[in-house]
Amino acid sequence: MRLSQLKPGEKAVVTKILGHGAFRKRVMEMGFVRGREVTMVLNAPLQDPIKYKLMDYEVSLRRSEAELIEVEPYEQWILHKNRAAHPETASHDPASSDNAEEFEPKDRIINVALIGNPNCGKTSLFNIVSGAHEHVGNYAGVTVGAKAGTVKYKGYRFNIVDLPGTYSLSAYSPEELYVMRYLNQEMPDVIVNVVVASNLERNLYLTTELIDMNRSMVIDLNMYDELERSKAVLDYENLGKLLGVPVVPTKASTGWGVDRLLDTIIDVYEMKHNDVRHIHVKMRPELEKGITRVKDIIKNDHSVPARFSPRYLAIKMLEGDPEADALLSRSDSYKEIRDARDAEVQRIERDLKEDVPAAISADKYGFIQGALAETMQGNVLEEQKTTRIIDALVTSKLFGFPIFLCVMFLMFWATFQLGSYPMEWIESLVSWISGLIGKHMADGPLKDLLLDGIIGGVGGVIVFLPNILILYFFISMMEDTGYMARVAFIMDKVMHKMGLHGKSFIPLVMGFGCNVPAIMSTRIIESRSSRLITILINPFVSCSARIPIYVLLVGAFFPHQGALVFFCLYLLGIIVAVLTARLMRRFWFKADETPFVMELPPYRIPTVKAIARGMWSKAHQYLNKMGGIILVASIIIWALSYFPRYEMQQVPESYVTNTIAEMPAELRQEKTPEQLDALVLNAYQQEYSILGHIGKFMEPVVEPMEYGWRTTVALLAGAAAKEVVVSTMGVLYVGEDDADLISERLTSPSPITGQPPFTPAKALSFMVFVLLYVPCIATLAAIARETESWKYAAFSLTYNTLLAWILAFITFRIAILF
């Protein structure tokens, strides 16, 4: 809790001082140090300031200042001390094990924020420290939101937050705005600024902004092995002394140096590290004069929250940063601050003949160059050579696009062809389990649920796990090697023709895996209009959830053209996305003039551990979905198709007569009257079940494609998750014949009509419909969240479904001609 939350007469113990250096120093000099008892005495008549008693004297603090001091109730503090002094009794206390975090001393908790440029290895460090399994990629935008993890080390609990990659703390892109607001609202105890050892000059620009903030900080010199392989020598200890921030080399991919990093974080938190001191990134006198004038006004205005240093806010005001302006707009001296800022900006631009942001950036890079000149010998070799050689091939005018198309075709070929072997093994296992239950279990609703509902539904989907893992393997390889960024580079002009940004291509390729994180990754796009268009066209990119449907129907109807059909389906989705983007840019959104500025990271060989971790993470997600939404959906679909139950005498005579008349003559001759009655009853049971009534009601909508009510129900169920389409078909087509596999059920003639449920034309049309129609619920929620409006989600639902119907109808009519 915060000191400002104490009520009159309540006693607490100080556990942590938040805020920047000057504020921390002042309140600590007044006696607010960790472990000090403090009592709230009373509020001023207007509830601000507040009087406190500590060390036998009374002191007043403004409420905003008391908000920056963390305390723990006195009784709870004593309890913690007793537990620490007598651990043998604490171990027998149920509360100590059931609510360990609640009874943990608050001064032994360190809140750490990982901040750095894209591609600096923050997420790798986060994974190695916290044991999490977040995705790691070698391009901007992998971390699309703050990810939290914890680790216990030497009696401390580290709460670690991996923030999105950002090049600066200006309110230019969503990532920069997110990071700046996080630092303002959450105020971590220690910032770990992750920098790439082989690219210090660019990475340290963000460091200078964090130095301006005057927060407790450690610099993690990551990917130190790349620096070691070069001929450069860096005196990182001396660099830390010059910056006033400890510098620790690490290799996050292997974990080397991480323990030393955690030790340094503890020393900085405990204020014991010798390198820690506050410095100013000195600039030209013309700039320093303007910074000082604005800073002094901010410093003397006590209504400004002590969350950022006055110097940092002054620099941001001179740069025209809207977030800093909004932060100060609530202060008492805002008009004076703004007027001083405007006057100083005019003077600086007149004296220096350049705009203020450019002048500040130039001076900061000058400061960085000076620091590196004193601490680094030699130049870091560009990877440099290998990167240039590969880029000469994969980004060339002649080979760039053919290589990309070959990579895409190889990915789809491997997904279908190589994935078919383990898929057959899993199919055999599912079939064996089904036969075992069918042979040894007594007839009844429970047996029907297991065979038709759970195994028919979940078993029909789980067989496609190998195909999805192969797809994710290729996507991970493209991301981790750095090739994904090159794809965005070569596609920029194409994307620009669409009215989009080159960066839009990365979320679109990520959509091959899953549309939800792909939509979240659009935060890397600075332009709001391009970001919105990319979000709305992303569902047209065929995600891995659709793979079970494609593999099922392609394997059944196009086994010899599988890779080609796969490729054409994905290509169709991309073409529809392109045309939709063009229409949106022309009729809905204004022109986008955002420049294409994107880092092309050096190529890196992905580790087997990283690839395996990513694939296991996706397998885990898929299996969780099997045991969650797909299992529940399969049971619900089975129940709706199973009830109400009918007896043969309840079936109208006219239905029996008409159904038998529709059967092929050979079948009528082969079957006994009892077998014919069983077929008729099964058909009546499904057609007049609850699900049958729903399907019949919706069947007219898709009647032009001759889908039938079962297919209609499968499409409706797919709104929850696309994999449910296959599980629903597995449930609904069970029992029509003796086939064990769904693909055989779909291609085998119905004993009632003599016609198979699907034909090649119908299967092709159905895949087009599934490719384009309503996104799943999770994707719609992601669209609403990222656009901050449900109207865009409603548009996606309506537009996508109408477009799917039109193109599926055209596909069906063309296909039946051939």
Short mmCIF file of all heavy atoms in Angstrom, two decimals, residues 262-307:
data_model
loop_
_atom_site.label_atom_id
_atom_site.label_comp_id
_atom_site.label_asym_id
_atom_site.label_seq_id
_atom_site.Cartn_x
_atom_site.Cartn_y
_atom_site.Cartn_z
N LEU A 262 21.49 -10.15 -12.10
CA LEU A 262 20.57 -10.13 -10.96
C LEU A 262 21.26 -9.59 -9.71
O LEU A 262 20.65 -8.84 -8.93
CB LEU A 262 20.03 -11.54 -10.71
CG LEU A 262 19.15 -12.14 -11.82
CD1 LEU A 262 18.74 -13.56 -11.47
CD2 LEU A 262 17.92 -11.29 -12.07
N ASP A 263 22.52 -9.96 -9.51
CA ASP A 263 23.27 -9.41 -8.36
C ASP A 263 23.38 -7.89 -8.46
O ASP A 263 23.24 -7.18 -7.45
CB ASP A 263 24.68 -10.01 -8.31
CG ASP A 263 24.67 -11.49 -7.92
OD1 ASP A 263 23.71 -11.90 -7.23
OD2 ASP A 263 25.61 -12.21 -8.30
N THR A 264 23.63 -7.40 -9.66
CA THR A 264 23.76 -5.94 -9.85
C THR A 264 22.43 -5.24 -9.62
O THR A 264 22.39 -4.15 -9.05
CB THR A 264 24.28 -5.65 -11.27
OG1 THR A 264 25.48 -6.38 -11.50
CG2 THR A 264 24.55 -4.16 -11.47
N ILE A 265 21.33 -5.86 -10.06
CA ILE A 265 20.01 -5.28 -9.81
C ILE A 265 19.77 -5.14 -8.31
O ILE A 265 19.26 -4.11 -7.84
CB ILE A 265 18.91 -6.15 -10.46
CG1 ILE A 265 19.01 -6.08 -11.99
CG2 ILE A 265 17.52 -5.70 -10.01
CD1 ILE A 265 18.11 -7.06 -12.71
N ILE A 266 20.15 -6.16 -7.54
CA ILE A 266 19.99 -6.10 -6.08
C ILE A 266 20.82 -4.96 -5.51
O ILE A 266 20.36 -4.18 -4.66
CB ILE A 266 20.38 -7.45 -5.44
CG1 ILE A 266 19.39 -8.54 -5.85
CG2 ILE A 266 20.44 -7.32 -3.92
CD1 ILE A 266 19.79 -9.94 -5.41
N ASP A 267 22.07 -4.82 -5.96
CA ASP A 267 22.94 -3.75 -5.46
C ASP A 267 22.37 -2.37 -5.77
O ASP A 267 22.42 -1.46 -4.94
CB ASP A 267 24.35 -3.89 -6.07
CG ASP A 267 25.11 -5.07 -5.50
OD1 ASP A 267 24.70 -5.58 -4.44
OD2 ASP A 267 26.12 -5.47 -6.12
N VAL A 268 21.83 -2.21 -6.98
CA VAL A 268 21.24 -0.91 -7.35
C VAL A 268 19.99 -0.66 -6.52
O VAL A 268 19.77 0.46 -6.04
CB VAL A 268 20.93 -0.88 -8.86
CG1 VAL A 268 20.10 0.35 -9.23
CG2 VAL A 268 22.22 -0.89 -9.67
N TYR A 269 19.18 -1.68 -6.34
CA TYR A 269 17.97 -1.54 -5.52
C TYR A 269 18.31 -1.17 -4.08
O TYR A 269 17.66 -0.34 -3.46
CB TYR A 269 17.19 -2.85 -5.57
CG TYR A 269 15.98 -2.89 -4.67
CD1 TYR A 269 14.85 -2.14 -4.95
CD2 TYR A 269 15.95 -3.71 -3.54
CE1 TYR A 269 13.73 -2.18 -4.13
CE2 TYR A 269 14.84 -3.77 -2.72
CZ TYR A 269 13.74 -3.00 -3.01
OH TYR A 269 12.64 -3.04 -2.19
N GLU A 270 19.37 -1.78 -3.56
CA GLU A 270 19.80 -1.50 -2.19
C GLU A 270 20.66 -0.23 -2.10
O GLU A 270 21.13 0.13 -1.02
CB GLU A 270 20.61 -2.69 -1.65
CG GLU A 270 19.82 -3.98 -1.54
CD GLU A 270 18.92 -4.00 -0.32
OE1 GLU A 270 18.93 -2.99 0.43
OE2 GLU A 270 18.20 -4.98 -0.14
N MET A 271 20.88 0.42 -3.26
CA MET A 271 21.68 1.65 -3.34
C MET A 271 23.11 1.42 -2.82
O MET A 271 23.65 2.24 -2.08
CB MET A 271 20.99 2.80 -2.60
CG MET A 271 19.70 3.22 -3.26
SD MET A 271 18.83 4.55 -2.42
CE MET A 271 18.18 3.70 -1.00
N LYS A 272 23.70 0.29 -3.21
CA LYS A 272 25.04 -0.06 -2.76
C LYS A 272 26.07 -0.06 -3.87
O LYS A 272 27.26 -0.25 -3.62
CB LYS A 272 25.02 -1.46 -2.11
CG LYS A 272 24.18 -1.57 -0.86
CD LYS A 272 24.17 -3.01 -0.36
CE LYS A 272 23.32 -3.16 0.89
NZ LYS A 272 23.26 -4.59 1.34
N HIS A 273 25.62 0.14 -5.14
CA HIS A 273 26.56 0.02 -6.26
C HIS A 273 27.36 1.31 -6.43
O HIS A 273 26.79 2.41 -6.45
CB HIS A 273 25.81 -0.32 -7.55
CG HIS A 273 26.67 -1.00 -8.56
ND1 HIS A 273 27.64 -0.32 -9.29
CD2 HIS A 273 26.74 -2.30 -8.97
CE1 HIS A 273 28.24 -1.17 -10.10
NE2 HIS A 273 27.72 -2.38 -9.93
N ASN A 274 28.67 1.17 -6.57
CA ASN A 274 29.56 2.34 -6.63
C ASN A 274 29.42 3.14 -7.92
O ASN A 274 29.74 4.33 -7.96
CB ASN A 274 31.02 1.91 -6.46
CG ASN A 274 31.27 1.30 -5.09
OD1 ASN A 274 30.63 1.70 -4.11
ND2 ASN A 274 32.18 0.34 -5.01
N ASP A 275 28.96 2.48 -9.01
CA ASP A 275 28.88 3.20 -10.29
C ASP A 275 27.65 4.09 -10.41
O ASP A 275 27.57 4.91 -11.33
CB ASP A 275 28.86 2.18 -11.45
CG ASP A 275 30.19 1.49 -11.64
OD1 ASP A 275 31.18 1.94 -11.02
OD2 ASP A 275 30.25 0.50 -12.40
N VAL A 276 26.71 3.93 -9.51
CA VAL A 276 25.45 4.67 -9.62
C VAL A 276 25.66 6.13 -9.23
O VAL A 276 26.07 6.45 -8.11
CB VAL A 276 24.34 4.05 -8.75
CG1 VAL A 276 23.09 4.90 -8.80
CG2 VAL A 276 24.04 2.63 -9.20
N ARG A 277 25.40 7.02 -10.15
CA ARG A 277 25.40 8.46 -9.89
C ARG A 277 24.58 9.14 -10.97
O ARG A 277 24.41 8.60 -12.07
CB ARG A 277 26.83 9.02 -9.88
CG ARG A 277 27.55 8.93 -11.21
CD ARG A 277 29.02 9.31 -11.08
NE ARG A 277 29.70 9.23 -12.37
CZ ARG A 277 29.88 10.26 -13.19
NH1 ARG A 277 29.42 11.46 -12.84
NH2 ARG A 277 30.51 10.11 -14.34
N HIS A 278 24.06 10.31 -10.63
CA HIS A 278 23.21 11.01 -11.59
C HIS A 278 24.06 11.95 -12.43
O HIS A 278 24.80 12.78 -11.90
CB HIS A 278 22.12 11.80 -10.88
CG HIS A 278 21.23 12.56 -11.83
ND1 HIS A 278 20.64 11.97 -12.91
CD2 HIS A 278 20.88 13.87 -11.86
CE1 HIS A 278 19.93 12.87 -13.57
NE2 HIS A 278 20.06 14.04 -12.95
N ILE A 279 23.97 11.79 -13.75
CA ILE A 279 24.69 12.68 -14.65
C ILE A 279 23.69 13.37 -15.57
O ILE A 279 22.53 12.95 -15.68
CB ILE A 279 25.72 11.92 -15.52
CG1 ILE A 279 24.99 10.98 -16.50
CG2 ILE A 279 26.70 11.13 -14.66
CD1 ILE A 279 25.85 10.50 -17.64
N HIS A 280 24.12 14.45 -16.20
CA HIS A 280 23.33 15.10 -17.23
C HIS A 280 23.99 14.86 -18.58
O HIS A 280 25.21 14.96 -18.70
CB HIS A 280 23.24 16.61 -16.99
CG HIS A 280 22.31 16.98 -15.88
ND1 HIS A 280 22.22 18.25 -15.36
CD2 HIS A 280 21.42 16.23 -15.18
CE1 HIS A 280 21.32 18.27 -14.40
NE2 HIS A 280 20.82 17.05 -14.27
N VAL A 281 23.17 14.51 -19.56
CA VAL A 281 23.69 14.39 -20.93
C VAL A 281 23.83 15.82 -21.45
O VAL A 281 22.86 16.44 -21.86
CB VAL A 281 22.73 13.57 -21.81
CG1 VAL A 281 23.27 13.50 -23.24
CG2 VAL A 281 22.54 12.17 -21.25
N LYS A 282 25.05 16.33 -21.38
CA LYS A 282 25.29 17.74 -21.70
C LYS A 282 25.06 18.02 -23.18
O LYS A 282 25.44 17.24 -24.05
CB LYS A 282 26.73 18.12 -21.33
CG LYS A 282 26.97 18.20 -19.81
CD LYS A 282 26.20 19.36 -19.21
CE LYS A 282 26.49 19.51 -17.72
NZ LYS A 282 25.69 20.59 -17.11
N MET A 283 24.46 19.18 -23.43
CA MET A 283 24.19 19.62 -24.79
C MET A 283 24.80 21.00 -25.02
O MET A 283 25.42 21.59 -24.14
CB MET A 283 22.68 19.62 -25.05
CG MET A 283 22.02 18.27 -24.79
SD MET A 283 20.26 18.27 -25.17
CE MET A 283 19.75 16.76 -24.34
N ARG A 284 24.60 21.53 -26.21
CA ARG A 284 25.14 22.85 -26.54
C ARG A 284 24.53 23.92 -25.63
O ARG A 284 23.40 23.76 -25.17
CB ARG A 284 24.84 23.17 -28.01
CG ARG A 284 25.76 22.49 -28.99
CD ARG A 284 25.27 22.65 -30.42
NE ARG A 284 24.24 21.66 -30.75
CZ ARG A 284 23.66 21.55 -31.95
NH1 ARG A 284 24.03 22.35 -32.93
NH2 ARG A 284 22.75 20.63 -32.15
N PRO A 285 25.26 24.99 -25.38
CA PRO A 285 24.76 26.04 -24.47
C PRO A 285 23.39 26.57 -24.88
O PRO A 285 22.57 26.90 -24.01
CB PRO A 285 25.83 27.13 -24.58
CG PRO A 285 27.07 26.40 -24.98
CD PRO A 285 26.63 25.27 -25.85
N GLU A 286 23.15 26.68 -26.18
CA GLU A 286 21.85 27.21 -26.62
C GLU A 286 20.71 26.29 -26.15
O GLU A 286 19.64 26.78 -25.77
CB GLU A 286 21.82 27.32 -28.15
CG GLU A 286 22.76 28.35 -28.73
CD GLU A 286 24.16 27.80 -28.95
OE1 GLU A 286 24.44 26.66 -28.51
OE2 GLU A 286 24.97 28.50 -29.58
N LEU A 287 20.95 24.99 -26.20
CA LEU A 287 19.94 24.04 -25.73
C LEU A 287 19.86 24.01 -24.21
O LEU A 287 18.76 24.00 -23.63
CB LEU A 287 20.25 22.64 -26.26
CG LEU A 287 20.00 22.39 -27.75
CD1 LEU A 287 20.58 21.05 -28.17
CD2 LEU A 287 18.51 22.43 -28.06
N GLU A 288 21.01 24.01 -23.55
CA GLU A 288 21.03 23.95 -22.08
C GLU A 288 20.31 25.15 -21.47
O GLU A 288 19.62 25.01 -20.45
CB GLU A 288 22.47 23.88 -21.58
CG GLU A 288 23.15 22.53 -21.77
CD GLU A 288 22.52 21.44 -20.93
OE1 GLU A 288 21.83 21.74 -19.94
OE2 GLU A 288 22.69 20.25 -21.28
N LYS A 289 20.44 26.30 -22.11
CA LYS A 289 19.77 27.50 -21.59
C LYS A 289 18.25 27.32 -21.63
O LYS A 289 17.54 27.63 -20.66
CB LYS A 289 20.17 28.72 -22.43
CG LYS A 289 19.54 30.03 -21.96
CD LYS A 289 20.01 31.19 -22.84
CE LYS A 289 19.31 32.48 -22.41
NZ LYS A 289 19.71 33.62 -23.30
N GLY A 290 17.74 26.78 -22.75
CA GLY A 290 16.30 26.55 -22.86
C GLY A 290 15.83 25.47 -21.91
O GLY A 290 14.77 25.59 -21.29
N ILE A 291 16.61 24.38 -21.79
CA ILE A 291 16.23 23.29 -20.88
C ILE A 291 16.17 23.80 -19.45
O ILE A 291 15.21 23.50 -18.70
CB ILE A 291 17.24 22.13 -21.01
CG1 ILE A 291 17.12 21.46 -22.38
CG2 ILE A 291 17.01 21.09 -19.91
CD1 ILE A 291 18.23 20.47 -22.68
N THR A 292 17.16 24.60 -19.05
CA THR A 292 17.22 25.09 -17.68
C THR A 292 16.03 25.99 -17.36
O THR A 292 15.43 25.90 -16.28
CB THR A 292 18.53 25.87 -17.45
OG1 THR A 292 19.64 24.99 -17.71
CG2 THR A 292 18.62 26.38 -16.02
N ARG A 293 15.67 26.86 -18.31
CA ARG A 293 14.55 27.77 -18.05
C ARG A 293 13.25 27.00 -17.82
O ARG A 293 12.52 27.26 -16.84
CB ARG A 293 14.38 28.75 -19.22
CG ARG A 293 13.23 29.74 -19.01
CD ARG A 293 13.06 30.66 -20.18
NE ARG A 293 11.85 31.48 -20.01
CZ ARG A 293 11.35 32.27 -20.93
NH1 ARG A 293 11.96 32.39 -22.12
NH2 ARG A 293 10.24 32.95 -20.71
N VAL A 294 12.94 26.05 -18.69
CA VAL A 294 11.70 25.28 -18.55
C VAL A 294 11.78 24.37 -17.33
O VAL A 294 10.81 24.23 -16.57
CB VAL A 294 11.43 24.46 -19.83
CG1 VAL A 294 10.15 23.63 -19.67
CG2 VAL A 294 11.32 25.37 -21.04
N LYS A 295 12.95 23.79 -17.10
CA LYS A 295 13.13 22.87 -15.97
C LYS A 295 12.88 23.58 -14.63
O LYS A 295 12.23 23.02 -13.73
CB LYS A 295 14.55 22.30 -15.98
CG LYS A 295 14.87 21.36 -14.82
CD LYS A 295 16.34 21.11 -14.66
CE LYS A 295 17.02 22.36 -14.09
NZ LYS A 295 18.45 22.14 -13.81
N ASP A 296 13.38 24.80 -14.48
CA ASP A 296 13.23 25.53 -13.22
C ASP A 296 11.77 25.80 -12.91
O ASP A 296 11.34 25.73 -11.75
CB ASP A 296 14.02 26.83 -13.26
CG ASP A 296 15.53 26.60 -13.20
OD1 ASP A 296 15.93 25.48 -12.83
OD2 ASP A 296 16.30 27.52 -13.53
N ILE A 297 10.99 26.13 -13.93
CA ILE A 297 9.55 26.36 -13.70
C ILE A 297 8.87 25.07 -13.23
O ILE A 297 8.07 25.07 -12.29
CB ILE A 297 8.88 26.91 -14.98
CG1 ILE A 297 9.53 28.21 -15.43
CG2 ILE A 297 7.38 27.13 -14.73
CD1 ILE A 297 9.06 28.70 -16.78
N ILE A 298 9.19 23.97 -13.91
CA ILE A 298 8.60 22.67 -13.53
C ILE A 298 9.02 22.29 -12.12
O ILE A 298 8.21 21.82 -11.31
CB ILE A 298 9.02 21.58 -14.54
CG1 ILE A 298 8.47 21.88 -15.93
CG2 ILE A 298 8.56 20.20 -14.08
CD1 ILE A 298 8.98 20.97 -17.02
N LYS A 299 10.30 22.52 -11.80
CA LYS A 299 10.84 22.13 -10.50
C LYS A 299 10.17 22.89 -9.36
O LYS A 299 9.95 22.35 -8.27
CB LYS A 299 12.34 22.38 -10.49
CG LYS A 299 13.07 21.76 -9.31
CD LYS A 299 14.57 21.91 -9.49
CE LYS A 299 15.34 21.23 -8.37
NZ LYS A 299 16.80 21.37 -8.55
N ASN A 300 9.82 24.14 -9.60
CA ASN A 300 9.22 24.97 -8.55
C ASN A 300 7.71 24.78 -8.44
O ASN A 300 7.09 25.33 -7.52
CB ASN A 300 9.54 26.45 -8.81
CG ASN A 300 11.03 26.74 -8.66
OD1 ASN A 300 11.70 26.13 -7.83
ND2 ASN A 300 11.54 27.66 -9.46
N ASP A 301 7.13 24.05 -9.37
CA ASP A 301 5.70 23.79 -9.33
C ASP A 301 5.46 22.46 -8.63
O ASP A 301 5.67 21.39 -9.19
CB ASP A 301 5.13 23.74 -10.76
CG ASP A 301 3.61 23.59 -10.77
OD1 ASP A 301 3.02 23.35 -9.70
OD2 ASP A 301 3.02 23.71 -11.86
N HIS A 302 5.01 22.53 -7.39
CA HIS A 302 4.85 21.32 -6.58
C HIS A 302 3.61 20.50 -6.95
O HIS A 302 3.39 19.43 -6.39
CB HIS A 302 4.81 21.68 -5.09
CG HIS A 302 6.08 22.29 -4.60
ND1 HIS A 302 7.26 21.60 -4.54
CD2 HIS A 302 6.35 23.55 -4.17
CE1 HIS A 302 8.22 22.39 -4.06
NE2 HIS A 302 7.70 23.59 -3.84
N SER A 303 2.81 21.03 -7.88
CA SER A 303 1.65 20.24 -8.32
C SER A 303 2.05 19.22 -9.39
O SER A 303 1.25 18.35 -9.74
CB SER A 303 0.57 21.18 -8.89
OG SER A 303 1.03 21.81 -10.08
N VAL A 304 3.28 19.32 -9.90
CA VAL A 304 3.75 18.34 -10.89
C VAL A 304 4.16 17.07 -10.16
O VAL A 304 5.00 17.10 -9.26
CB VAL A 304 4.96 18.90 -11.69
CG1 VAL A 304 5.48 17.83 -12.65
CG2 VAL A 304 4.57 20.15 -12.44
N PRO A 305 3.57 15.91 -10.50
CA PRO A 305 3.93 14.66 -9.81
C PRO A 305 5.42 14.35 -9.96
O PRO A 305 6.02 14.59 -11.01
CB PRO A 305 3.09 13.60 -10.54
CG PRO A 305 2.00 14.36 -11.21
CD PRO A 305 2.56 15.70 -11.54
N ALA A 306 6.00 13.84 -8.88
CA ALA A 306 7.45 13.57 -8.88
C ALA A 306 7.75 12.20 -9.49
O ALA A 306 8.48 11.40 -8.93
CB ALA A 306 7.98 13.64 -7.45
N ARG A 307 7.16 11.92 -10.66
CA ARG A 307 7.35 10.63 -11.31
C ARG A 307 8.45 10.69 -12.37
O ARG A 307 9.03 9.69 -12.71
CB ARG A 307 6.03 10.16 -11.94
CG ARG A 307 4.99 9.86 -10.88
CD ARG A 307 3.64 9.52 -11.49
NE ARG A 307 2.67 9.21 -10.44
CZ ARG A 307 2.43 8.00 -9.97
NH1 ARG A 307 3.09 6.98 -10.45
NH2 ARG A 307 1.55 7.82 -9.01
#
